Coordinates of all heavy atoms in Angstrom, one line a residue:
M537 N 35.0 105.8 133.7 CA 36.3 105.1 134.1 C 37.3 106.2 134.3 O 37.5 107.1 133.5 CB 36.7 104.2 133.0 CG 38.0 103.4 133.3 SD 37.9 102.3 134.7 CE 36.5 101.3 134.2
S538 N 38.0 106.1 135.4 CA 39.1 107.1 135.7 C 40.4 106.4 135.7 O 40.6 105.3 136.0 CB 38.9 107.7 137.2 OG 37.7 108.4 137.3
I539 N 41.4 107.2 135.1 CA 42.7 106.7 135.0 C 43.7 107.8 135.6 O 43.5 109.0 135.4 CB 43.1 106.5 133.5 CG1 42.3 105.4 132.9 CG2 44.6 106.2 133.3 CD1 42.5 105.2 131.4
V540 N 44.7 107.3 136.3 CA 45.7 108.1 136.8 C 47.0 107.6 136.3 O 47.3 106.4 136.4 CB 45.8 108.2 138.4 CG1 46.9 109.0 138.9 CG2 44.4 108.6 138.9
V541 N 47.8 108.5 135.6 CA 49.1 108.2 135.0 C 50.2 109.0 135.7 O 50.1 110.2 135.8 CB 49.1 108.5 133.5 CG1 50.5 108.1 132.9 CG2 48.0 107.7 132.8
F542 N 51.2 108.3 136.2 CA 52.3 108.9 136.9 C 53.5 109.0 135.9 O 53.8 108.0 135.3 CB 52.7 108.2 138.1 CG 51.8 108.4 139.3 CD1 50.7 107.6 139.5 CD2 52.1 109.4 140.2 CE1 49.9 107.8 140.6 CE2 51.3 109.7 141.3 CZ 50.1 108.9 141.5
V543 N 54.0 110.2 135.8 CA 55.2 110.4 134.9 C 56.2 111.2 135.6 O 55.9 111.9 136.6 CB 54.8 111.1 133.6 CG1 53.9 110.2 132.7 CG2 54.2 112.4 133.8
N544 N 57.4 111.2 135.1 CA 58.5 112.1 135.6 C 58.9 112.9 134.4 O 59.6 112.4 133.4 CB 59.7 111.3 136.1 CG 60.8 112.1 136.7 OD1 60.8 113.3 136.4 ND2 61.7 111.5 137.4
S545 N 58.6 114.2 134.4 CA 58.8 115.1 133.2 C 60.3 115.3 132.9 O 60.7 115.9 131.9 CB 58.1 116.4 133.3 OG 58.6 117.1 134.5
T546 N 61.2 114.9 133.8 CA 62.7 115.0 133.5 C 63.1 113.8 132.5 O 64.2 113.9 131.9 CB 63.5 114.9 134.7 OG1 63.3 113.7 135.4 CG2 63.2 116.0 135.7
Q547 N 62.2 112.8 132.3 CA 62.5 111.7 131.4 C 61.9 112.0 130.1 O 60.7 112.1 130.0 CB 62.0 110.4 132.0 CG 62.5 110.1 133.4 CD 64.0 109.9 133.4 OE1 64.6 109.3 132.5 NE2 64.6 110.4 134.4
P548 N 62.7 112.0 129.0 CA 62.2 112.3 127.7 C 61.1 111.3 127.2 O 60.1 111.6 126.6 CB 63.4 112.2 126.8 CG 64.6 112.5 127.7 CD 64.2 112.0 129.0
E549 N 61.3 110.0 127.6 CA 60.3 109.0 127.2 C 59.0 109.2 127.9 O 57.9 108.9 127.3 CB 60.8 107.6 127.4 CG 61.2 107.2 128.8 CD 62.6 107.6 129.2 OE1 63.4 108.2 128.4 OE2 63.0 107.3 130.4
D550 N 59.0 109.7 129.1 CA 57.7 110.0 129.8 C 57.0 111.2 129.1 O 55.8 111.2 129.0 CB 58.0 110.3 131.3 CG 58.3 109.1 132.1 OD1 58.6 108.0 131.5 OD2 58.3 109.2 133.4
N551 N 57.8 112.2 128.7 CA 57.2 113.4 128.0 C 56.6 112.9 126.7 O 55.5 113.4 126.3 CB 58.2 114.5 127.8 CG 58.6 115.2 129.0 OD1 57.7 115.4 129.9 ND2 59.8 115.7 129.2
K552 N 57.2 112.0 126.0 CA 56.7 111.5 124.8 C 55.4 110.8 125.0 O 54.4 110.9 124.3 CB 57.7 110.6 124.1 CG 57.3 110.0 122.8 CD 58.3 109.1 122.2 CE 57.8 108.5 120.9 NZ 58.5 107.3 120.5
L553 N 55.4 110.0 126.1 CA 54.2 109.2 126.4 C 53.0 110.2 126.7 O 51.9 109.9 126.3 CB 54.4 108.3 127.6 CG 53.3 107.5 128.1 CD1 53.1 106.3 127.2 CD2 53.5 107.1 129.6
V554 N 53.3 111.2 127.4 CA 52.2 112.2 127.7 C 51.7 112.8 126.5 O 50.4 112.9 126.3 CB 52.7 113.3 128.7 CG1 51.7 114.5 128.8 CG2 53.0 112.7 130.1
R555 N 52.5 113.2 125.6 CA 52.1 113.8 124.3 C 51.3 112.8 123.5 O 50.2 113.1 122.9 CB 53.3 114.2 123.4 CG 53.9 115.5 123.9 CD 55.0 116.1 123.0 NE 56.0 115.1 122.6 CZ 57.1 114.9 123.2 NH1 57.4 115.6 124.4 NH2 58.0 114.1 122.8
E556 N 51.6 111.5 123.5 CA 50.9 110.5 122.8 C 49.5 110.2 123.4 O 48.5 110.1 122.7 CB 51.7 109.1 122.8 CG 52.9 109.2 121.9 CD 53.7 107.9 122.0 OE1 53.4 107.0 122.8 OE2 54.8 107.9 121.3
I557 N 49.4 110.3 124.8 CA 48.1 110.1 125.4 C 47.2 111.3 125.1 O 46.1 111.2 124.7 CB 48.3 110.0 127.0 CG1 48.9 108.7 127.3 CG2 47.0 110.2 127.7 CD1 49.4 108.6 128.8
Q558 N 47.8 112.5 125.1 CA 47.0 113.7 124.8 C 46.5 113.6 123.3 O 45.4 114.0 123.0 CB 47.9 115.0 125.0 CG 48.3 115.2 126.4 CD 47.2 115.7 127.4 OE1 46.0 115.5 127.1 NE2 47.6 116.4 128.4
H559 N 47.4 113.2 122.5 CA 47.1 113.0 121.0 C 45.9 112.1 120.9 O 45.0 112.3 120.1 CB 48.3 112.6 120.3 CG 48.1 112.5 118.8 ND1 47.8 111.4 118.1 CD2 48.2 113.5 117.9 CE1 47.7 111.6 116.8 NE2 48.0 112.9 116.7
Q560 N 46.0 110.9 121.5 CA 44.9 109.9 121.4 C 43.6 110.5 121.9 O 42.5 110.3 121.2 CB 45.2 108.7 122.2 CG 46.2 107.8 121.6 CD 46.4 106.5 122.4 OE1 45.5 106.0 123.0 NE2 47.6 106.0 122.4
L561 N 43.6 111.2 123.0 CA 42.4 111.7 123.5 C 41.9 112.9 122.6 O 40.6 113.0 122.4 CB 42.6 112.3 125.0 CG 42.8 111.2 126.0 CD1 43.3 111.9 127.3 CD2 41.6 110.4 126.2
Y562 N 42.7 113.7 122.1 CA 42.3 114.8 121.3 C 41.6 114.3 120.0 O 40.6 114.9 119.6 CB 43.6 115.6 120.9 CG 43.2 116.8 120.1 CD1 42.7 118.0 120.7 CD2 43.4 116.8 118.7 CE1 42.4 119.1 119.9 CE2 43.1 118.0 117.9 CZ 42.6 119.1 118.6 OH 42.3 120.2 117.8
F563 N 42.1 113.2 119.4 CA 41.5 112.8 118.2 C 40.4 111.7 118.4 O 39.9 111.2 117.4 CB 42.6 112.3 117.3 CG 43.4 113.4 116.7 CD1 44.7 113.6 117.1 CD2 42.9 114.2 115.7 CE1 45.5 114.7 116.6 CE2 43.6 115.3 115.2 CZ 44.9 115.5 115.6
S564 N 40.1 111.3 119.6 CA 39.1 110.3 119.8 C 38.0 110.9 120.8 O 38.3 110.8 122.0 CB 39.7 109.0 120.3 OG 38.6 108.1 120.6
Q565 N 36.9 111.3 120.3 CA 35.9 111.8 121.2 C 35.3 110.7 122.0 O 34.9 110.9 123.2 CB 34.7 112.4 120.4 CG 35.1 113.7 119.6 CD 35.5 114.8 120.6 OE1 34.8 115.0 121.6 NE2 36.5 115.6 120.3
Q566 N 35.3 109.5 121.5 CA 34.8 108.3 122.3 C 35.7 108.1 123.5 O 35.2 107.8 124.6 CB 34.8 107.1 121.4 CG 34.2 105.9 122.1 CD 34.1 104.6 121.2 OE1 34.7 104.6 120.2 NE2 33.4 103.7 121.7
L567 N 37.0 108.1 123.3 CA 37.9 107.9 124.4 C 37.7 109.0 125.5 O 37.7 108.8 126.7 CB 39.4 107.9 124.0 CG 40.0 106.6 123.6 CD1 41.5 106.8 123.3 CD2 39.9 105.6 124.7
Q568 N 37.5 110.2 125.0 CA 37.3 111.4 125.9 C 36.0 111.2 126.7 O 36.0 111.5 127.9 CB 37.2 112.7 125.2 CG 38.6 113.2 124.7 CD 38.4 114.6 124.2 OE1 37.7 115.5 124.7 NE2 39.0 114.9 123.0
R569 N 35.0 110.6 126.1 CA 33.7 110.4 126.8 C 33.8 109.2 127.8 O 33.2 109.2 128.9 CB 32.6 110.1 125.8 CG 32.1 111.3 125.2 CD 30.8 111.0 124.4 NE 30.9 110.0 123.4 CZ 31.3 110.2 122.2 NH1 31.6 111.4 121.7 NH2 31.4 109.1 121.3
R570 N 34.6 108.2 127.5 CA 34.7 107.0 128.3 C 35.8 107.0 129.4 O 35.7 106.2 130.3 CB 34.9 105.8 127.4 CG 33.6 105.6 126.4 CD 33.8 104.4 125.6 NE 33.7 103.2 126.4 CZ 34.1 102.0 126.0 NH1 34.5 101.8 124.7 NH2 34.0 100.9 126.7
L571 N 36.8 107.8 129.2 CA 37.9 107.8 130.1 C 38.1 109.2 130.7 O 38.2 110.2 130.0 CB 39.2 107.4 129.4 CG 39.3 106.0 128.9 CD1 40.6 105.8 128.2 CD2 39.2 105.0 130.1
S572 N 38.3 109.3 132.0 CA 38.7 110.5 132.6 C 40.2 110.3 133.0 O 40.5 109.5 133.9 CB 37.9 110.8 133.9 OG 38.4 111.8 134.6
V573 N 41.1 111.0 132.3 CA 42.5 110.7 132.4 C 43.2 111.9 133.2 O 43.0 113.1 132.8 CB 43.2 110.6 131.1 CG1 44.7 110.3 131.2 CG2 42.6 109.4 130.3
T574 N 43.9 111.6 134.2 CA 44.7 112.6 135.0 C 46.1 112.2 135.0 O 46.4 111.0 135.3 CB 44.2 112.7 136.5 OG1 42.8 113.0 136.5 CG2 44.9 113.8 137.2
I575 N 47.0 113.1 134.5 CA 48.4 112.8 134.5 C 49.1 113.5 135.6 O 48.9 114.7 135.8 CB 49.0 113.3 133.1 CG1 48.4 112.5 132.0 CG2 50.5 113.1 133.1 CD1 48.7 113.0 130.6
I576 N 49.8 112.8 136.4 CA 50.5 113.3 137.6 C 52.0 113.3 137.4 O 52.6 112.3 137.1 CB 50.2 112.5 138.9 CG1 48.7 112.2 139.1 CG2 50.8 113.1 140.1 CD1 47.9 113.4 139.4
D577 N 52.6 114.5 137.4 CA 54.0 114.6 137.2 C 54.7 114.7 138.6 O 54.4 115.6 139.4 CB 54.3 115.9 136.4 CG 55.7 116.0 136.0 OD1 56.6 115.2 136.4 OD2 56.1 117.0 135.3
I578 N 55.5 113.7 138.8 CA 56.2 113.7 140.1 C 57.4 114.6 140.2 O 57.9 114.8 141.3 CB 56.7 112.2 140.5 CG1 57.7 111.8 139.5 CG2 55.5 111.3 140.6 CD1 58.5 110.5 140.0
N579 N 57.7 115.3 139.1 CA 58.8 116.2 139.1 C 58.2 117.6 139.3 O 57.6 118.2 138.4 CB 59.6 116.2 137.7 CG 60.6 117.3 137.6 OD1 61.1 117.8 138.6 ND2 60.9 117.6 136.4
P580 N 58.5 118.2 140.5 CA 57.9 119.5 140.8 C 58.5 120.7 140.0 O 57.9 121.7 139.9 CB 58.2 119.7 142.3 CG 59.4 118.9 142.5 CD 59.3 117.7 141.6
Q581 N 59.6 120.5 139.3 CA 60.3 121.6 138.6 C 60.0 121.6 137.1 O 60.3 122.6 136.5 CB 61.8 121.5 138.8 CG 62.3 121.4 140.2 CD 61.8 122.6 141.0 OE1 61.8 123.7 140.5 NE2 61.4 122.4 142.2
G582 N 59.4 120.6 136.6 CA 59.2 120.5 135.1 C 58.2 121.5 134.6 O 57.5 122.1 135.4
E583 N 58.1 121.5 133.3 CA 57.1 122.4 132.7 C 55.7 121.8 132.8 O 55.6 120.6 132.8 CB 57.5 122.6 131.2 CG 57.5 121.4 130.4 CD 57.9 121.6 129.0 OE1 59.1 121.9 128.8 OE2 57.1 121.5 128.1
S584 N 54.7 122.6 132.8 CA 53.3 122.1 132.8 C 52.9 121.9 131.4 O 53.2 122.6 130.5 CB 52.4 123.2 133.5 OG 52.7 123.3 134.9
L585 N 52.0 120.9 131.2 CA 51.5 120.5 129.9 C 50.0 120.7 130.0 O 49.4 120.7 131.0 CB 51.9 119.1 129.6 CG 53.4 118.8 129.6 CD1 53.6 117.3 129.4 CD2 54.1 119.5 128.5
S586 N 49.4 120.8 128.8 CA 48.0 120.9 128.7 C 47.4 120.1 127.6 O 48.2 119.6 126.7 CB 47.5 122.4 128.5 OG 48.0 122.8 127.3
G587 N 46.1 119.8 127.6 CA 45.5 119.0 126.6 C 44.2 118.4 127.2 O 43.7 118.8 128.3
P588 N 43.6 117.4 126.5 CA 42.4 116.8 127.0 C 42.5 116.1 128.4 O 41.5 116.1 129.1 CB 42.0 115.8 125.9 CG 42.8 116.2 124.7 CD 44.0 116.9 125.2
A589 N 43.6 115.6 128.7 CA 43.8 114.9 130.0 C 44.2 116.0 131.0 O 44.9 117.0 130.7 CB 44.9 113.9 129.9
G590 N 43.7 115.8 132.2 CA 44.1 116.7 133.3 C 45.6 116.5 133.6 O 46.1 115.4 133.5
Y591 N 46.3 117.6 134.0 CA 47.7 117.5 134.3 C 48.0 118.2 135.7 O 47.6 119.4 135.9 CB 48.5 118.3 133.2 CG 50.0 118.1 133.3 CD1 50.6 116.9 132.8 CD2 50.8 119.1 133.9 CE1 51.9 116.8 132.9 CE2 52.1 118.9 133.9 CZ 52.7 117.7 133.5 OH 54.1 117.6 133.6
I592 N 48.6 117.4 136.6 CA 48.8 117.9 137.9 C 50.3 117.8 138.3 O 50.9 116.7 138.0 CB 48.0 117.2 139.0 CG1 46.5 117.4 138.7 CG2 48.3 117.6 140.4 CD1 45.6 116.5 139.5
K593 N 50.9 118.8 138.8 CA 52.3 118.7 139.4 C 52.1 118.3 140.8 O 51.5 119.0 141.6 CB 52.9 120.1 139.3 CG 53.2 120.6 137.9 CD 54.3 119.8 137.4 CE 55.4 120.5 136.7 NZ 56.3 119.6 136.2
D594 N 52.7 117.2 141.2 CA 52.6 116.6 142.5 C 53.7 117.3 143.4 O 54.7 116.6 143.8 CB 52.7 115.1 142.5 CG 52.3 114.5 143.8 OD1 51.6 115.2 144.6 OD2 52.5 113.3 144.0
R595 N 53.7 118.6 143.6 CA 54.7 119.3 144.3 C 54.9 118.8 145.8 O 56.0 118.9 146.3 CB 54.4 120.8 144.3 CG 54.6 121.4 142.9 CD 54.4 122.9 142.9 NE 54.9 123.4 141.7 CZ 54.2 123.6 140.6 NH1 53.0 123.2 140.6 NH2 54.7 124.1 139.5
Q596 N 53.8 118.4 146.4 CA 53.9 118.0 147.8 C 53.9 116.5 148.0 O 54.0 116.0 149.1 CB 52.8 118.6 148.6 CG 52.9 120.1 148.6 CD 51.7 120.8 149.3 OE1 50.6 120.1 149.5 NE2 51.8 122.0 149.7
G597 N 53.9 115.7 146.9 CA 53.9 114.3 147.0 C 52.7 113.6 147.5 O 52.7 112.5 147.8
I598 N 51.6 114.4 147.5 CA 50.3 113.8 148.0 C 49.8 112.7 147.1 O 49.4 111.6 147.6 CB 49.2 114.9 148.1 CG1 49.7 116.0 149.1 CG2 47.9 114.4 148.4 CD1 48.9 117.3 149.1
W599 N 49.8 112.9 145.8 CA 49.3 111.8 144.9 C 50.2 110.6 144.9 O 49.8 109.4 144.9 CB 49.2 112.3 143.4 CG 48.1 113.3 143.2 CD1 48.1 114.6 143.5 CD2 46.8 112.9 142.8 NE1 46.9 115.1 143.2 CE2 46.1 114.1 142.7 CE3 46.2 111.8 142.3 CZ2 44.7 114.2 142.3 CZ3 44.9 111.8 141.9 CH2 44.2 113.0 141.9
A600 N 51.5 110.8 144.9 CA 52.5 109.7 145.0 C 52.3 108.9 146.3 O 52.4 107.7 146.3 CB 53.9 110.2 144.8
E601 N 52.1 109.6 147.4 CA 51.8 108.9 148.6 C 50.6 108.1 148.6 O 50.5 107.0 149.2 CB 51.8 110.0 149.8 CG 51.6 109.3 151.1 CD 51.6 110.4 152.2 OE1 52.2 111.5 152.1 OE2 51.0 110.1 153.3
K602 N 49.5 108.6 148.0 CA 48.3 107.9 147.9 C 48.3 106.6 147.1 O 47.8 105.6 147.5 CB 47.2 108.9 147.4 CG 45.8 108.2 147.3 CD 44.8 109.2 146.8 CE 43.4 108.5 146.7 NZ 42.4 109.4 146.3
Y603 N 48.9 106.7 145.9 CA 49.0 105.6 145.0 C 50.2 104.8 145.0 O 50.2 103.6 144.6 CB 48.7 106.1 143.5 CG 47.3 106.5 143.3 CD1 47.0 107.8 143.4 CD2 46.3 105.6 143.0 CE1 45.6 108.2 143.2 CE2 45.0 106.0 142.8 CZ 44.7 107.3 142.9 OH 43.4 107.7 142.7
R604 N 51.3 105.3 145.5 CA 52.6 104.7 145.6 C 53.1 103.9 144.3 O 53.2 102.7 144.3 CB 52.6 103.7 146.8 CG 52.3 104.4 148.1 CD 52.8 103.6 149.2 NE 52.4 104.2 150.5 CZ 53.2 105.1 151.1 NH1 54.3 105.5 150.6 NH2 52.8 105.6 152.3
P605 N 53.2 104.7 143.2 CA 53.7 104.1 142.0 C 55.1 103.5 142.2 O 56.0 104.2 142.7 CB 53.7 105.2 141.0 CG 53.8 106.4 141.8 CD 53.1 106.2 143.1
A606 N 55.4 102.3 141.7 CA 56.7 101.7 141.9 C 57.7 102.3 141.0 O 58.9 102.4 141.3 CB 56.6 100.2 141.6
E607 N 57.3 102.9 139.8 CA 58.2 103.5 138.9 C 57.3 104.4 137.9 O 56.1 104.3 138.0 CB 58.9 102.4 138.1 CG 58.0 101.4 137.4 CD 58.8 100.2 136.9 OE1 60.0 100.4 136.5 OE2 58.3 99.1 137.0
T608 N 58.0 105.1 137.1 CA 57.3 105.9 136.1 C 57.7 105.4 134.7 O 58.9 105.0 134.5 CB 57.6 107.4 136.2 OG1 58.9 107.6 136.0 CG2 57.1 107.9 137.5
P609 N 56.8 105.4 133.7 CA 55.4 105.7 133.8 C 54.6 104.6 134.4 O 54.9 103.4 134.2 CB 55.0 106.0 132.4 CG 56.0 105.2 131.6 CD 57.2 105.1 132.3
S610 N 53.6 105.0 135.2 CA 52.7 104.0 135.8 C 51.3 104.4 135.5 O 50.9 105.6 135.5 CB 52.9 103.9 137.3 OG 54.2 103.4 137.6
L611 N 50.4 103.4 135.3 CA 49.0 103.6 135.0 C 48.2 102.9 136.1 O 48.4 101.8 136.5 CB 48.7 103.0 133.7 CG 47.2 102.9 133.3 CD1 46.6 104.2 133.0 CD2 47.1 102.0 132.0
F612 N 47.2 103.7 136.6 CA 46.3 103.1 137.6 C 44.9 103.3 137.0 O 44.4 104.4 136.7 CB 46.3 103.9 138.9 CG 47.6 103.6 139.7 CD1 48.7 104.4 139.5 CD2 47.6 102.6 140.7 CE1 49.9 104.1 140.2 CE2 48.8 102.4 141.4 CZ 49.9 103.1 141.2
C613 N 44.2 102.1 136.9 CA 42.8 102.1 136.4 C 41.9 102.1 137.7 O 42.1 101.2 138.5 CB 42.5 100.9 135.6 SG 43.5 100.7 134.1
L614 N 41.0 103.0 137.8 CA 40.2 103.1 139.0 C 38.8 102.7 138.5 O 38.1 103.4 137.8 CB 40.1 104.5 139.5 CG 41.5 105.2 139.7 CD1 41.4 106.6 140.1 CD2 42.3 104.4 140.7
K615 N 38.4 101.5 139.0 CA 37.1 100.9 138.7 C 36.3 100.7 140.0 O 36.5 99.8 140.7 CB 37.3 99.5 138.0 CG 38.1 99.6 136.7 CD 38.3 98.2 136.1 CE 39.1 98.3 134.9 NZ 39.3 97.0 134.2
G616 N 35.5 101.7 140.3 CA 34.8 101.7 141.5 C 35.7 101.8 142.7 O 36.6 102.7 142.8
K617 N 35.7 100.8 143.6 CA 36.6 100.8 144.7 C 37.9 100.0 144.4 O 38.8 99.9 145.2 CB 36.0 100.2 145.9 CG 34.9 101.1 146.4 CD 34.3 100.5 147.7 CE 33.2 101.5 148.2 NZ 32.7 101.1 149.5
K618 N 37.9 99.4 143.2 CA 39.1 98.6 142.8 C 40.1 99.4 142.0 O 39.7 100.2 141.1 CB 38.6 97.4 141.9 CG 39.7 96.5 141.5 CD 39.1 95.3 140.6 CE 40.2 94.4 140.2 NZ 39.7 93.4 139.2
T619 N 41.4 99.2 142.3 CA 42.4 99.9 141.6 C 43.4 98.9 141.0 O 43.8 98.0 141.7 CB 43.2 100.8 142.6 OG1 42.4 101.8 143.2 CG2 44.4 101.6 141.9
V620 N 43.6 99.1 139.7 CA 44.5 98.1 139.0 C 45.7 98.9 138.5 O 45.6 100.0 137.9 CB 43.8 97.5 137.7 CG1 44.7 96.6 137.0 CG2 42.5 96.8 138.2
Y621 N 46.9 98.4 138.9 CA 48.2 99.0 138.5 C 48.8 98.3 137.3 O 48.8 97.1 137.1 CB 49.2 98.8 139.7 CG 50.6 99.1 139.3 CD1 51.0 100.5 139.2 CD2 51.5 98.1 139.0 CE1 52.3 100.8 138.9 CE2 52.8 98.5 138.7 CZ 53.2 99.8 138.6 OH 54.5 100.1 138.3
I622 N 49.3 99.2 136.3 CA 49.9 98.7 135.1 C 51.2 99.5 134.9 O 51.1 100.7 134.9 CB 49.0 98.8 133.9 CG1 47.7 98.0 134.1 CG2 49.7 98.4 132.6 CD1 46.6 98.3 133.0
K623 N 52.3 98.8 134.7 CA 53.5 99.5 134.3 C 53.4 99.8 132.8 O 53.2 98.9 132.0 CB 54.7 98.5 134.5 CG 56.0 99.0 133.8 CD 56.5 100.3 134.3 CE 57.9 100.6 133.6 NZ 58.0 102.0 133.2
M624 N 53.4 101.1 132.5 CA 53.1 101.5 131.1 C 54.3 101.3 130.2 O 55.4 101.7 130.5 CB 52.7 102.9 131.1 CG 51.3 103.2 131.6 SD 50.8 104.8 131.3 CE 50.2 104.7 129.6
A625 N 54.1 100.8 129.0 CA 55.1 100.7 128.0 C 54.7 101.6 126.8 O 55.6 102.0 126.0 CB 55.3 99.2 127.5
S626 N 53.4 101.8 126.6 CA 52.9 102.7 125.5 C 51.6 103.4 125.9 O 50.9 103.0 126.8 CB 52.7 101.8 124.3 OG 51.5 101.1 124.4
A627 N 51.3 104.4 125.2 CA 50.2 105.2 125.5 C 48.9 104.4 125.2 O 47.8 104.7 125.8 CB 50.2 106.5 124.6
R628 N 48.9 103.5 124.3 CA 47.8 102.7 124.0 C 47.2 101.9 125.1 O 46.1 101.4 125.1 CB 48.1 101.7 122.8 CG 48.3 102.5 121.5 CD 48.3 101.6 120.3 NE 47.1 100.9 120.1 CZ 45.9 101.3 119.6 NH1 45.8 102.6 119.3 NH2 44.9 100.5 119.4
E629 N 48.0 101.7 126.2 CA 47.6 100.9 127.3 C 46.5 101.6 128.1 O 45.8 101.0 128.9 CB 48.8 100.7 128.2 CG 49.8 99.7 127.6 CD 50.9 99.3 128.5 OE1 50.7 99.1 129.7 OE2 52.0 99.3 127.9
I630 N 46.2 102.9 127.9 CA 45.1 103.5 128.6 C 43.8 102.8 128.2 O 42.9 102.8 128.9 CB 45.0 105.0 128.3 CG1 44.7 105.4 126.8 CG2 46.2 105.8 128.9 CD1 44.4 106.8 126.6
R631 N 43.8 102.2 127.0 CA 42.6 101.5 126.5 C 42.4 100.2 127.3 O 41.2 99.7 127.3 CB 42.7 101.2 125.0 CG 42.8 102.5 124.2 CD 43.2 102.2 122.7 NE 43.4 103.4 122.0 CZ 42.6 104.1 121.3 NH1 41.3 103.7 121.3 NH2 42.9 105.2 120.7
S632 N 43.4 99.7 127.9 CA 43.2 98.5 128.7 C 42.3 98.7 129.9 O 41.8 97.7 130.5 CB 44.6 97.9 129.1 OG 45.2 98.8 130.1
C633 N 42.1 99.9 130.3 CA 41.2 100.2 131.4 C 39.7 100.2 131.1 O 38.9 100.2 132.0 CB 41.6 101.6 132.0 SG 43.2 101.6 132.8
L634 N 39.4 100.2 129.8 CA 38.0 100.2 129.4 C 37.3 98.9 129.7 O 37.9 97.9 129.7 CB 37.9 100.5 127.9 CG 38.3 101.8 127.4 CD1 38.3 101.9 125.9 CD2 37.4 102.9 128.0

């Protein structure tokens, strides 16, 4: 299962959400095996983060253009050819894609 999470690193609550997602993945080998998580930061100037989830700076807006998130934070569950959009309220919502 693949997940794409859009965040804006200028927003403190988005940074907190990223840290919580990384924390969940770090401490759960099962989640790491079952979910491929990519975090896309729409802020090209922010700091880069690292952890079990992939982290991409969308400097050219390619990812935002492809998925067109209505707001941040946003979660996209990619199930085969089906894409499900979820407005994120907490890091635990990554489990809703399982």
